[in-house]
Amino acid sequence: MRTYYCLAFLIWSCILHVVQLTPSPKRTSKYLHPERIMGLSKDAGKTLHRTKRGWMWNQFFLLEEYTGPDTQYVGKLHTDQDKGDGNLKYILTGDGAGSLFVIDENTGDIHAAKKLDREEKSLYVLRAKAIDRKTGRQVEPESEFIIKIHDINDNEPKFTKDIYTASVPEMSGVGTSVIQVTATDADDANYGNSAKVVYSILQGQPYFSVDPETGIIKTALPDMSRENREQYQVVIQAKDMGGQMGGLSGTTTVNITLTDVNDNPPRFPQSTYQFSSPESAPLGTPLGRIKANDPDVGENAEIEYSISNGDGSDVFDIITDKDTQEGIITVKKQLDFENKMLYTLRVEAANSHPDPRFLQLGPFKDTALVKISVEDIDEPPVFSRASYLIEVDEDAKEGSIIGQVIAQDPDTTKNSIKYSVDRHTDLDRIFNIHSGNGSIFISKSLDREETPWHNITVIATEINNPKQSSQISVFIRILDINDHAPEFAKYYETFVCENAKAGQLIQTVSAMDKDEPPQGHKFFFELVPEFAVHPNFSIVDNKDNTAGIMTRRNGYSRSKMSTYLLPIIIFDNDYPIQSSTGTLTIRVCACDSRGNMQSCNAEALLLSAGLSTGALIAILLCIIILLVLVVLFAALKRQRKKEPLIISKDDVRDNIVTYNDEGGGEEDTQAFDIGTLRNPEAREESKMRRDVIPETIFQIRRTAPLWENIDVQDFIHRRLKENDIDPAAPPYDSLATYAYEGNDSIANSLSSLESLTTDGNQDYDYLSDWGPRFKKLADMYGGDDSDRD
């Protein structure tokens, strides 16, 4: 085999065709002749011949980004079987065969058809074979080879970010790491210095520096202050070829921010502040704001305000507004112009979060002087007390002075004051007040038992300025006097058994008193002097505000005395002593052997008359039966009524009044007026029947007169309309009838009653033509004989 170039790729030839024991080609300027290897086989000891390699090619390296006018020559494929007569055909397959790499099938020359980029693909594996054109068979086994693309410096370094953002605390020392930037180069790092990147700083000096190999940005100046400059823009360059001339480069921007540290104390912009406040300012009223400036930000600029000293430290207070970092001075105690007109405060402002690293710079606090002047205003009157308590006896006379309230104008003018009672708190006008001196006196009598306390409101008003007024509560306690006598605590139902023994307790009584003596109640019981020695009963005072009623003899009789009245006098021990007499009613009752009551006076009287319980029940039943009979009789009596004139089963309504009266004809003018039926105008003066007295008389309704003749249907419709709109008409289920005949018939009268008044005879022969039904009439009126007869 013959080869012309590329000694390095001879190593790859040693790998190819190992199965066929094909040796690698050696570098020579002549064709490689076959070498014979002799050896003994295991079986027959035959001589083995090494097959001669028949391939030959020239070049295996190719430069990327070739820009020459012709296609770039890669190499040549050749086999010893090629005699140069054109019988062999070379075929190339593998990566890029036919597109990137083309082969001359006659000569075996390989060319690169396009410009190649190593960064896209650095190695191509191809396979070559030679085919006999006539037989189509391979003359040599298929061989594989590699084409490697040589790198050139055609890619500049690129940073991972276009813009970097970083921060570093202010006042940091030199060499403090800020951020690391990284750039990559797509060129081959194993071939030359094309991918060797070196960092440098183009903008940002002398504040920052960059490590040329690692790309770490560091601070270059000490004590950089955020308050002087906060933002920095640094431009970093990355250059390949180790930073040498001709290398490609790329840049990036790094935005660096200095973060704040608490390295500045707060400072007041002025040393003295002045404020004023009216003396009537309510507690908590803000008087003004002061602020100490701190160039730091965030929590490093948070300030706490306090009052360090001054004569108004107990009168005023200062709080911190967290949003604005201002100190707000407020009123802590009520101000009084007449008492003090000017206050001086020493206010201190200090950082809430000092940094120990910078304490050597000085105290992180500042002070300022605050002067507050109090303004005088017209104040309402002020009472000498917060409230008044007055005690008065309930028997105090009307007009008596029970107490006094005092108020004065706190202003220097000392205006006069007038007093009044708020009548909403004294609706009964029991109390009144002297408008000039505030003396309270009684206008009506008092009663502790009815109202033990009175709470009134007194108003003090400046005479010169009625708008300035104040009010105070006056609590009036009514003191008790002994003006009520004691009485029994309740009503006692006392009885004594007929078989009672002398000295037996039959009742224990107690007393009550509306008064409330300071030492408590103490009651005494005794019989009235007239009954001091009562033959039947006695009273024993138990000394505990109760007394016992005792019997003085054996046995009591209901038949002789069913009820005893025992008057008892009750005394109290207060001054003046009050007493009352209460009468205890004692009934005599029948009791069992154990003293339980069985029956008393009412039943005893009935039993004494000889009537048993059964007899009483019988008497009550008879009385009830008699009452029932009387009620039934009265009900039947009231249901009896006059028989109706006619009772018709065909009545359509229960409230239709019918009369069974035919009347006396036209000559009977007492029954009805027939003229009314013929003349509608006669309805205007309705007349009642005079021959029959109806049970129910309805009020006659006057209707509008009918001034013209109308037919019956129209007449009835009008009457129906009148009844519908008349509120006094009978109920809707009543039947209204109208006896109206209407106008005369067009055929005149068909009656024969007036036939005698006619002058001539009439011809009734036509009756014979009407059939058998009119034969009788035809016989009566049909012939002359009849007429003559």
Side-chain angles (χ1 to χ4, degrees):
M1 299 291 291
R2 213 176 34 230
T3 183
Y4 297 96
Y5 306 105
C6 304
L7 178 62
F9 270 86
L10 291 178
I11 301 173
W12 291 97
S13 303
C14 299
I15 303 174
L16 301 176
H17 303 291
V18 174
V19 178
Q20 291 84 5
L21 299 177
T22 304
S24 299
K26 298 180 180 179
R27 183 182 177 99
T28 178
S29 59
K30 299 181 179 179
Y31 292 106
L32 296 177
H33 296 283
E35 299 179 3
R36 180 170 297 177
I37 301 176
M38 303 298 294
L40 298 177
S41 65
K42 294 181 182 180
D43 298 331
K46 296 181 180 179
T47 303
L48 297 178
H49 296 278
R50 181 176 181 180
T51 304
K52 183 184 70 174
R53 182 178 181 88
W55 286 110
M56 180 181 62
W57 54 81
N58 300 59
Q59 187 172 341
F60 297 98
F61 289 103
L62 191 65
L63 293 177
E64 66 169 338
E65 305 294 343
Y66 176 75
T67 57
D70 300 328
T71 58
Q72 190 174 7
Y73 181 75
V74 178
K76 180 180 180 63
L77 296 178
H78 185 73
T79 179
D80 291 345
Q81 302 296 330
D82 188 0
K83 305 301 184 182
D85 53 3
N87 291 330
L88 296 181
K89 178 181 179 182
Y90 294 97
I91 298 176
L92 186 66
T93 59
D95 296 340
S99 59
L100 296 179
F101 303 101
V102 296
I103 189 172
D104 189 333
E105 63 180 12
N106 295 321
T107 62
D109 292 330
I110 302 173
H111 292 81
K114 297 181 179 179
K115 183 172 63 172
L116 302 178
D117 189 355
R118 188 201 65 83
E119 285 71 32
E120 293 182 1
K121 192 175 180 64
S122 62
L123 192 69
Y124 295 88
V125 179
L126 296 151
R127 290 175 297 277
K129 57 184 176 180
I131 300 175
D132 192 327
R133 293 179 183 272
K134 295 180 180 181
T135 62
R137 298 174 61 185
Q138 293 185 12
V139 298
E140 289 282 353
E142 186 179 64
S143 180
E144 184 178 81
F145 62 95
I146 296 174
I147 299 177
K148 186 176 182 181
I149 308 302
H150 271 181
D151 181 45
I152 64 173
N153 190 17
D154 58 343
N155 291 280
E156 72 278 2
K158 292 185 178 179
F159 286 93
T160 56
K161 295 181 180 179
D162 293 336
I163 297 177
Y164 289 84
T165 301
S167 62
V168 63
E170 64 173 334
M171 309 298 291
S172 296
V174 176
T176 302
S177 178
V178 180
I179 191 175
Q180 183 179 16
V181 296
T182 303
T184 59
D185 196 321
D187 292 328
D188 190 359
N190 298 322
Y191 183 78
N193 293 328
S194 299
K196 186 177 181 181
V197 178
V198 174
Y199 300 95
S200 61
I201 183 168
L202 301 182
Q203 177 182 325
Q205 294 175 332
Y207 307 104
F208 299 95
S209 62
V210 63
D211 189 297
E213 295 183 358
T214 62
I216 297 176
I217 301 175
K218 302 178 180 179
T219 57
L221 285 180
D223 301 334
M224 287 189 294
S225 176
R226 183 200 64 83
E227 289 74 26
N228 295 333
R229 182 177 178 182
E230 184 177 5
Q231 298 289 338
Y232 293 87
Q233 191 175 71
V234 179
V235 178
I236 302 298
Q237 180 189 65
K239 189 174 183 180
D240 59 11
M241 297 298 291
Q244 299 177 4
M245 295 292 294
L248 302 178
S249 64
T251 60
T252 187
T253 300
V254 183
N255 293 324
I256 301 176
T257 302
L258 294 184
T259 58
D260 185 58
V261 296
N262 194 2
D263 59 338
N264 294 282
R267 290 289 181 265
F268 283 105
Q270 59 192 70
S271 59
T272 304
Y273 295 86
Q274 290 186 352
F275 300 100
S276 62
S277 172
E279 60 176 335
S280 62
L283 301 184
T285 302
L287 304 182
R289 292 171 175 256
I290 60 176
K291 184 177 182 180
N293 298 324
D294 191 332
D296 296 325
V297 294
E299 69 174 14
N300 297 323
E302 292 182 2
I303 302 174
E304 289 291 339
Y305 295 90
S306 61
I307 298 176
S308 59
N309 53 42
D311 56 2
S313 58
D314 59 338
V315 180
F316 301 96
D317 195 8
I318 187 168
I319 58 176
T320 303
D321 188 337
K322 298 298 183 181
D323 296 330
T324 61
Q325 297 301 317
E326 293 177 318
I328 305 174
I329 299 175
T330 60
V331 178
K332 187 177 180 181
K333 287 186 178 180
Q334 188 64 48
L335 302 178
D336 188 0
F337 173 82
E338 290 72 22
N339 185 24
K340 190 174 180 60
M341 295 181 291
L342 181 64
Y343 293 90
T344 302
L345 305 175
R346 177 68 64 178
V347 177
E348 180 181 279
N351 278 135
S352 302
H353 307 281
D355 194 333
R357 297 177 299 173
F358 305 102
L359 292 179
Q360 71 276 4
L361 298 180
F364 279 75
K365 60 184 178 181
D366 194 14
T367 59
L369 190 65
V370 178
K371 295 181 179 181
I372 301 174
S373 59
V374 180
E375 298 176 353
D376 185 26
I377 63 170
D378 190 4
E379 298 177 272
V382 178
F383 285 92
S384 59
R385 301 180 188 176
S387 63
Y388 290 86
L389 174 61
I390 300 175
E391 294 182 346
V392 58
D393 293 332
E394 63 176 324
D395 62 345
K397 304 299 181 182
E398 295 182 9
S400 301
I401 296 176
I402 61 175
Q404 183 183 19
V405 296
I406 299 175
Q408 62 179 357
D409 184 6
D411 299 321
T412 55
T413 56
K414 302 298 180 181
N415 293 325
S416 300
I417 306 298
K418 69 175 181 178
Y419 302 91
S420 62
V421 176
D422 185 356
R423 290 305 172 188
H424 293 90
T425 61
D426 185 27
L427 297 177
D428 296 332
R429 295 181 176 269
I430 299 176
F431 303 97
N432 211 331
I433 191 170
H434 193 283
S435 62
N437 58 22
S439 298
I440 301 175
F441 57 91
I442 302 173
S443 299
K444 294 182 180 179
S445 60
L446 304 175
D447 188 357
R448 188 205 65 83
E449 287 70 29
E450 181 180 351
T451 308
W453 284 89
H454 294 272
N455 301 329
I456 65 174
T457 299
V458 174
I459 303 174
T461 306
E462 291 184 11
I463 296 178
N464 295 335
N465 187 5
K467 293 182 179 180
Q468 296 297 332
S469 65
S470 58
Q471 58 186 18
I472 196 73
S473 296
V474 179
F475 306 102
I476 302 174
R477 180 184 179 185
I478 309 302
L479 300 179
D480 183 42
I481 63 170
N482 194 22
D483 58 346
H484 290 83
E487 57 188 13
F488 282 127
K490 64 178 181 178
Y491 175 75
Y492 293 98
E493 294 183 356
T494 308
F495 70 92
V496 60
C497 296
E498 287 182 309
N499 55 356
K501 303 298 181 179
Q504 183 177 341
L505 178 65
I506 62 173
Q507 183 69 60
T508 300
V509 296
S510 62
M512 61 168 290
D513 193 341
K514 294 181 180 179
D515 296 323
E516 291 183 358
Q519 294 79 17
H521 292 290
K522 183 63 177 178
F523 302 118
F524 304 95
F525 302 87
E526 64 181 35
L527 295 177
V528 296
E530 294 80 1
F531 296 92
V533 181
H534 199 281
N536 298 309
F537 304 98
S538 64
I539 186 169
V540 177
D541 195 335
N542 297 327
K543 307 301 182 180
D544 61 353
N545 294 335
T546 64
I549 308 300
M550 311 294 291
T551 58
R552 295 194 64 181
R553 65 185 177 88
N554 296 325
Y556 295 84
S557 175
R558 285 177 293 169
S559 59
K560 294 181 180 181
M561 180 69 72
S562 62
T563 303
Y564 293 92
L565 300 178
L566 185 64
I568 300 174
I569 301 176
I570 308 174
F571 300 90
D572 58 18
N573 67 337
D574 204 356
Y575 180 83
I577 296 176
Q578 299 287 343
S579 65
S580 66
T581 302
T583 302
L584 188 66
T585 302
I586 304 174
R587 295 185 300 164
V588 181
C589 300
C591 302
D592 57 14
S593 59
R594 287 181 287 186
N596 297 322
M597 182 183 65
Q598 291 183 338
S599 61
C600 287
N601 299 344
E603 186 177 357
L605 292 175
L606 293 175
L607 291 176
S608 63
L611 294 177
S612 63
T613 303
L616 291 176
I617 294 175
I619 293 174
L620 290 176
L621 288 176
C622 291
I623 294 174
I624 292 173
I625 292 173
L626 288 176
L627 290 176
V628 171
L629 291 176
V630 171
V631 171
L632 290 176
F633 180 77
L636 293 175
K637 186 79 173 177
R638 298 180 68 178
Q639 288 182 356
R640 295 177 61 187
K641 59 172 64 178
K642 183 180 178 180
E643 289 292 331
L645 298 176
I646 182 171
I647 299 176
S648 176
K649 296 182 180 179
D650 298 330
D651 287 345
V652 296
R653 295 290 186 270
D654 292 340
N655 57 356
I656 299 177
V657 180
T658 60
Y659 301 91
N660 189 15
D661 184 11
E662 296 182 356
E666 295 182 358
E667 296 179 357
D668 185 6
T669 61
Q670 298 299 321
F672 57 88
D673 189 0
I674 195 170
T676 304
L677 300 176
R678 294 178 177 175
N679 184 12
E681 298 178 2
R683 292 286 291 174
E684 293 300 313
E685 297 179 5
S686 302
K687 298 180 180 180
M688 300 179 63
R689 294 188 61 170
R690 290 168 294 189
D691 59 330
V692 178
I693 300 175
E695 292 186 6
T696 305
I697 300 176
F698 294 95
Q699 183 179 0
I700 303 301
R701 303 186 309 277
R702 294 188 175 274
T703 59
L706 302 175
W707 303 105
E708 56 184 2
N709 294 329
I710 57 176
D711 58 7
V712 176
Q713 184 177 6
D714 192 10
F715 174 82
I716 292 175
H717 287 167
R718 291 193 181 188
R719 288 292 184 264
L720 287 174
K721 185 175 181 181
E722 292 173 1
N723 278 273
D724 291 338
I725 64 177
D726 187 3
Y732 65 89
D733 55 354
S734 299
L735 179 64
T737 60
Y738 305 97
Y740 174 63
E741 296 182 355
N743 298 330
D744 297 336
S745 175
I746 300 176
N748 296 323
S749 177
L750 298 178
S751 176
S752 62
L753 298 177
E754 298 179 358
S755 60
L756 296 177
T757 61
T758 59
D759 296 336
N761 295 327
Q762 298 185 14
D763 186 8
Y764 296 102
D765 294 338
Y766 62 87
L767 295 174
S768 301
D769 299 333
W770 285 9
R773 291 188 176 183
F774 297 90
K775 184 176 182 303
K776 187 65 174 176
L777 290 176
D779 293 342
M780 293 174 62
Y781 297 97
D784 295 337
D785 295 340
S786 299
D787 294 335
R788 287 192 296 271
D789 292 342

